Amino acid sequence: MSGPDGLRPGEVAAGDLGPADGPALRVIGRARTPWGPEDCPKNIHRARERGAPAILEIDPVFAPALSGLAVGQPVIVLYWMDRARRDLLVQAPRHVDGPRGTFALRSPNRPNTISQSTVTITALDLGAGRVTVDALDCFDGTPLLDIKPWLASVDLPPGTAD
Amino acid sequence: MSGPDGLRPGEVAAGDLGPADGPALRVIGRARTPWGPEDCPKNIHRARERGAPAILEIDPVFAPALSGLAVGQPVIVLYWMDRARRDLLVQAPRHVDGPRGTFALRSPNRPNTISQSTVTITALDLGAGRVTVDALDCFDGTPLLDIKPWLASVDLPPGTAD
């Protein structure tokens, strides 16, 4: 249950942070998913279970930056959770045992509402700037920020890479 | 060898993109590393080989968001490469066999110059907002954007998780 400020028991929000004054992002495209606020899966694991692919529609000006990607390749997608809160410092998600700091959670609510998942490219149309991936856990129309190739040497925890 | 526009043979830059007009970021702190433009390792793998830890200095207002993190935990750090180019669509890094699209590379030069590495927390001072990690491949003073717990179910390529 949330209070009038939208906070659950144990949650802490920052006071007035003022407007964000860091660098401005460029939206490189939009995610096309089957999900809206009512039925969006809570994480990529659950999105994958539902078996629906997602499409990354890349703005034509950035489409040439897709060259070199390949079907079957794992990539990290960064997306901007534009409906999430940016002021939550401590959160109490229902699935977690007690309140926890935002940086210890994967909640979309964070100072920079960037979410990321590692997904597999299942189809590619470079000319149209369309990248189909196996799943994505965000609302249809979510702004995309980046696509990066997943690399074991960078993305696995230290000591577990080959 | 680069031309007068700073481009190597085969590289492609976007025309005038205008100012970035997406959401503004919040800088949550700064990376303290031993590295400057002359000696910065090219990737986290090489940074790790040099054996120097890095410190994530988190702004006091965001320090409460660190609660729940633990020494030994793998985390993903997102940082803003503030000296990188945002207009490169196709790049020809020296270590890669021919030009490749930006989204198929981990180059810091990208529409949103967000880099990320998976690192291990080696020390924590929650009161001071200081997180020591085993390594980081960026200049001293680099703006930090986020810390996320690394999760196998989200961050491993599909099909490789438990």
Side-chain angles (χ1 to χ4, degrees):
Chain A
M1 222 175 76
S2 305
D5 48 6
L7 298 181
R8 298 193 184 109
E11 292 193 327
V12 177
D16 181 16
L17 290 167
D21 60 355
L25 293 163
R26 281 188 196 286
V27 174
I28 61 159
R30 300 274 168 180
R32 293 300 159 204
T33 75
W35 320 125
E38 278 72 42
D39 60 353
C40 191
K42 290 278 182 201
N43 56 52
I44 187 68
H45 189 65
R46 292 198 189 171
R48 196 163 279 135
E49 284 173 351
R50 297 206 209 164
I55 294 171
L56 314 178
E57 283 187 353
I58 304 303
D59 188 285
V61 73
F62 296 118
L66 297 170
S67 67
L69 291 174
V71 171
Q73 182 175 4
V75 291
I76 299 171
V77 181
L78 301 187
Y79 34 113
W80 183 258
M81 301 298 253
D82 51 359
R83 306 198 199 182
R85 289 180 67 152
R86 302 184 67 175
D87 64 338
L88 293 186
L89 301 173
V90 177
Q91 301 180 56
R94 279 188 206 86
H95 67 282
V96 172
D97 199 18
R100 199 179 290 182
T102 292
F103 298 142
L105 292 166
R106 290 296 282 256
S107 164
N109 304 305
R110 45 210 316 119
N112 296 299
T113 57
I114 301 168
S115 282
Q116 65 173 78
S117 296
T118 302
V119 298
T120 300
I121 297 177
T122 58
L124 258 177
D125 182 339
L126 294 179
R130 288 166 65 94
V131 182
T132 309
V133 298
D134 65 315
L136 213 57
D137 57 343
C138 61
F139 300 164
D140 186 48
T142 297
L144 300 173
L145 301 178
D146 205 356
I147 301 171
K148 299 176 188 292
W150 182 91
L151 296 179
S153 61
V154 179
D155 299 311
L156 284 179
T160 57
D162 299 338
Chain B
M1 220 174 81
S2 305
D5 49 6
L7 298 180
R8 298 193 182 109
E11 292 192 328
V12 177
D16 181 15
L17 291 168
D21 60 356
L25 293 163
R26 281 189 197 284
V27 174
I28 61 159
R30 299 275 168 179
R32 293 299 160 202
T33 75
W35 319 124
E38 278 72 42
D39 59 354
C40 192
K42 290 279 182 201
N43 56 52
I44 188 68
H45 189 65
R46 292 196 189 173
R48 195 163 279 136
E49 284 173 350
R50 297 206 208 165
I55 294 172
L56 314 178
E57 282 187 354
I58 304 302
D59 188 285
V61 74
F62 296 117
L66 298 170
S67 67
L69 291 174
V71 171
Q73 184 176 4
V75 291
I76 298 171
V77 181
L78 301 188
Y79 35 112
W80 183 258
M81 301 298 254
D82 51 359
R83 306 198 199 182
R85 287 180 69 153
R86 302 184 68 174
D87 64 339
L88 294 186
L89 301 173
V90 177
Q91 302 180 55
R94 279 186 206 88
H95 67 282
V96 173
D97 202 17
R100 197 179 293 182
T102 291
F103 298 141
L105 292 166
R106 291 296 283 255
S107 163
N109 303 304
R110 44 208 319 118
N112 296 298
T113 56
I114 301 169
S115 282
Q116 65 172 78
S117 296
T118 302
V119 298
T120 299
I121 297 178
T122 58
L124 258 178
D125 183 337
L126 294 179
R130 288 164 66 95
V131 182
T132 309
V133 298
D134 66 314
L136 214 58
D137 56 343
C138 61
F139 300 164
D140 185 49
T142 296
L144 298 173
L145 301 178
D146 205 355
I147 302 172
K148 298 176 189 292
W150 182 91
L151 296 180
S153 62
V154 179
D155 299 310
L156 283 179
T160 58
D162 298 339

